[in-house]
Amino acid sequence: ASARRGGVEEAVMRASDFTFAFPALLSAIMLTAIVGPGLVTSVVAIGIFNIPVFARITRAAANGVWAREYVLAARAAGKGAWRITLDH
């Protein structure tokens, strides 16, 4: 999302906000009621509500990297966003 910017970044962050809007415990209880109790259900419930946290932290770190001088130099050298992402 940080490499693409614009609409992709906004869509990812809005999906993250949507997940934050629901209380994690109530959603985990609802998921358990729908699917049934079990280890896989617990892992999925925990994963669903930790993904937005990691997405925001990763996006903030990536935006910090995209603001650095060596990325600006790579852009000046004609590299695209995907090549800069892979190289740096």
Side-chain angles (χ1 to χ4, degrees):
S2 187
R4 294 289 297 179
R5 298 280 177 146
V8 174
E9 187 176 26
E10 283 297 316
V12 169
M13 289 303 105
R14 294 305 73 88
S16 175
D17 290 342
F18 181 76
T19 306
F20 280 135
F22 296 101
L25 185 59
L26 291 177
S27 297
I29 292 170
M30 181 184 70
L31 183 64
T32 303
I34 292 171
V35 177
L39 181 63
V40 174
T41 307
S42 300
V43 170
V44 169
I46 292 168
I48 287 173
F49 295 102
N50 281 326
I51 288 172
V53 174
F54 292 121
R56 286 201 176 270
I57 291 170
T58 305
R59 177 182 161 263
N63 281 342
V65 170
W66 279 99
R68 301 232 172 122
E69 289 82 18
Y70 61 86
V71 175
L72 181 62
R75 283 185 185 163
K79 290 186 179 180
W82 286 107
R83 191 70 205 165
I84 293 171
T85 302
L86 291 173
D87 287 346
H88 301 287

